[in-house]
Amino acid sequence: MRKFLLVFITLWVFIPTIYAQKVGLVLSGGGAKGLTHIGIIRALEENNIPIDYITGTSMGAIVGSLYAMGYSPDDMIELLKSEEFKRWYSGQIEEKYVYHFKKNLPTPEFFNIRFSFKDSLKNLKPQFLPTSVVNPIQMNLVFVDLFARATAACGGDFDKLFVPFRCVASDVYNKKQLIMREGDLGDAVRASMSFPFMFKPIEIDNVLAYDGGIYNNFPTDVMRDDFHPDIIIGSVVSTNPTKPKENDLMSQIENMVMQKTDYSIPDSMGILMNFNYDNVSLMDFQRIDELHDIGYNRTISLMDSIKSRIYRRVNKDNIRLRRMVYRSNFPELRFKNIIIDGANVQQQVYIKKEFHRSDKKEFTYEDLKQGYFRLLSDNMISEIIPHAVYNPEDDTYDLHLKVKAENSFAVRLGGNISTSNSNQIYLGLGYQDLNYYAKEFLFDGQLGKVYNNAQFMAKINFSTVIPTSYRFIASISTFDYFKKEKLFSKDDKPAFNQKDERFLKLQVGLPFLSSKRAEFGFGIAKIEDKYFQKNVIDFGKDKFDKSNYDLLGGSISFNGSTLDSRQYPTSGYNEALIAQIFVGKERFYPGEGTATGNKNSKEHHSWLQLSYMKEKYHTMSEHWTLGWYLKALYASKNFSENYTATMMQAGEFSPTLYSKLTYNEAFRANQFVGAGIRPIYRLNQMFHLRGEFYGFMPIYPIERNSLNKAYYGKAFFKFEYLGEISVVCQLPFGDISAYVNHYSSPKREWNVGISIGWQLFNYRFIE
């Protein structure tokens, strides 16, 4: 009898442990508001409240998946505060991974229509706006690093994660939710968070999968049906769409896309925490501490009620130990085989060489990262979606790459619209092909009042042991400089100075350091300068003087750029060190009505030219960025036949967009140093206020004597300055800027204007 009583008491004590109370945590979507969930998890862990199952949607899926694969609240905070996480939703690439070697000069197109003659006209793809607000280039890659090892550890079964997990995505074609129970954990989370227009969707089982919040933003039903917990704790940081407003496009889109979700939990089934946020936007991730604390404090305030409903306890130290053991079993990311989908045999050879040179050699995630950004740097491939598939036999991963090659032909249209002389129309026609090597042909040009250009470029990149690039350029360009820069004046006069430049150039390039390129160039050019040598000009009678130059030149340059924008950058750097040597002849032809008469002259020239330019931007705080600019030039040029011809050939200091289209002798010299600072106040991702302030000092200023000849003045005797303040709006198709600038010479030189689009220039013979 006593033994029977002992067995009964033992069973009575231990049955609650065997059939322990199970707790499920359900996390809603809501963008950055979902950071509240981390505070809730921290409060539950600190009070020994168990979390046996977890389900989530969108941001709830991100937080839930991190916890499910063994991240602590501290780990999650560290990750979501990191620069790496900021790159997820900004699409920016770290400077050391910018592969400048394959890049061309930026072009000023508004949109780009790509097509292939294999397709019908119905398949033309105009690229006016990006397919998503957030560039997926970072997210495609980082989800491999973040989730591949957890997927390997659980064998693709989400029940075998540290905490069993589910998330929800949406199949908008079949109008139903997708419950993600197995497969690639990164794909599941990526699909669950792909909010339309913000993030690009991914394809799962031949279906585009979007944000789970479209059909189910609070998956309590998934928690009940899949895990059958005894009690549910729910965190809701979102609400159903409100009635759309006539002038609010986002509210209209939200109502069209999002279905109503039941955000309730019956009292008998669990505990619900609602958080109402009116002033937190979708991407307010910098408010992580504030949102975490709100979730933590609310949970602590309800802890007595939670403990009264959940009697089971787990030791937080034991959880920490089990979490450490679980994550220590994650297989290291070591890749061996590469399987490529979406590329032909020749393209596969080219692609594989970017990651490793031998099929038998293993490579790391760092090698994958470098090869991934190298392949995407020249726009031959529009997107690469990598997956890591674990091989338990040899403890390595197969790298599966889904590659989307760009169409071969492209038509580009763009330019710049301005209240000054800088109006430009840009048109480009391109062809590219990727096989064992990458080749590209581009014929483009600009038509405008000041700058006109037509240029042909052919480029071939070889993926050899040391990658090499061969670029051939044929170019014709003119600069017409006007006395008055007002576009709509009634008595607009002809250009008083003109520069025509025609050249052929061959450049051979090699990668240099991490994000630079070494180039060796050789070319020939014919340059014609037309100008007047007197201040009073009768455009009806007087004719231009002309100086023609037939030049042969070679160059060595080291250059690189990681700037984040084509025109008004706020991060990164641009640097160029160039050594050039030229030989050639100058021929002078005086015009009619000039004091020099009709005598022609011919002179030989040879000179060495060294130049260094660098601009760089430093983030000082959330809103403030400080940039700086430096340019130094040394040229051992002889003077041309007269002073004006000499100044037309002199090096120019033109650090602002406005200065590149104006002729100002005060900022020209054969040897000079110019520098300036660029303080920038960023209002948000789209708008910033930009200041630019520069000083310019010729080492030997070029002076004019009484015979209109040039001579060198006193060293370091002159100093000039210029400044510009602008408000800039950066849009996907171009920049809009309103500016005011001031020059020290001519005196009282102030200019005000508005510019829309891109003001960019093609290659020049003398860089």
Side-chain angles (χ1 to χ4, degrees), residues 537-601:
I537 305 168
D538 184 345
F539 287 101
K541 296 180 181 179
D542 295 339
K543 301 296 182 182
F544 286 107
D545 291 342
K546 291 193 300 183
S547 292
N548 289 351
Y549 303 87
D550 295 316
L551 299 177
L552 185 70
S555 64
I556 301 174
S557 70
F558 301 92
N559 55 80
S561 176
T562 62
L563 299 179
D564 64 341
S565 174
R566 285 184 254 185
Q567 190 161 265
Y568 289 107
T570 58
S571 69
Y573 76 88
N574 183 22
E575 186 175 21
L577 174 63
I578 307 173
Q580 301 172 91
I581 187 168
F582 300 98
V583 295
K585 297 178 182 179
E586 174 197 1
R587 290 181 174 88
F588 172 67
Y589 303 94
E592 296 178 12
T594 62
T596 54
N598 295 318
K599 184 181 178 182
N600 300 343
S601 65

Side-chain angles (χ1 to χ4, degrees), residues 245-287:
K245 299 175 183 178
E246 182 179 356
N247 297 320
D248 189 343
L249 180 61
M250 286 306 298
S251 72
Q252 295 171 32
I253 293 174
E254 193 176 29
N255 272 270
M256 286 187 284
V257 171
M258 307 292 287
Q259 305 296 313
K260 287 189 176 180
T261 293
D262 181 4
Y263 288 110
S264 65
I265 298 177
D267 290 341
S268 60
M269 294 185 59
I271 301 160
L272 179 65
M273 285 178 274
N274 274 300
F275 301 86
N276 296 315
Y277 296 109
D278 297 325
N279 63 341
V280 181
S281 70
L282 188 69
M283 307 294 281
D284 269 349
F285 293 107
Q286 73 279 2
R287 299 173 66 178

Side-chain angles (χ1 to χ4, degrees), residues 645-656:
T646 301
M647 296 307 293
M648 289 283 287
Q649 283 294 306
E652 60 181 327
F653 180 67
S654 53
T656 64

Side-chain angles (χ1 to χ4, degrees), residues 123-136:
N123 293 322
L124 291 180
K125 300 190 300 181
Q127 296 179 351
F128 184 69
L129 292 173
T131 54
S132 58
V133 174
V134 175
N135 188 333

Side-chain angles (χ1 to χ4, degrees), residues 31 53 78 121 155 202 326 330 379 384 410 429 457 464 494 674 762 766:
Y53 315 106
E78 182 181 359
L121 292 176
I202 65 167
Y326 183 82
F330 282 7
N379 297 319
I384 301 172
L429 303 173
M457 184 199 72
T464 48
N762 250 325
I766 301 176

Side-chain angles (χ1 to χ4, degrees), residues 114-181:
R114 290 191 174 273
F115 63 95
S116 171
F117 285 124
K118 297 177 184 178
D119 302 326
S120 68
L121 292 176
K122 295 180 180 179
N123 293 322
L124 291 180
K125 300 190 300 181
Q127 296 179 351
F128 184 69
L129 292 173
T131 54
S132 58
V133 174
V134 175
N135 188 333
I137 187 172
Q138 282 282 3
M139 207 168 289
N140 288 344
L141 179 67
V142 77
F143 271 50
V144 173
D145 182 37
L146 191 62
F147 293 108
R149 285 168 290 183
T151 301
C154 72
D157 182 353
F158 299 169
D159 284 338
K160 295 180 180 178
L161 289 166
F162 181 71
V163 176
F165 170 72
R166 298 287 186 272
C167 65
V168 176
S170 297
D171 175 358
V172 296
Y173 179 75
N174 295 299
K175 302 293 188 292
K176 65 178 184 179
Q177 70 174 3
L178 300 172
I179 302 173
M180 316 304 288
R181 300 182 174 94

Side-chain angles (χ1 to χ4, degrees), residues 103-118:
K103 291 185 177 295
N104 299 324
L105 285 180
T107 50
E109 73 266 15
F110 292 156
F111 63 90
N112 188 337
I113 301 174
R114 290 191 174 273
F115 63 95
S116 171
F117 285 124
K118 297 177 184 178

Side-chain angles (χ1 to χ4, degrees), residues 477-490:
S477 62
T478 65
F479 282 86
D480 295 339
Y481 298 108
F482 290 78
K483 282 288 187 184
K484 296 288 184 181
E485 68 93 33
K486 302 297 183 184
L487 179 61
F488 301 110
S489 59
K490 294 180 180 179

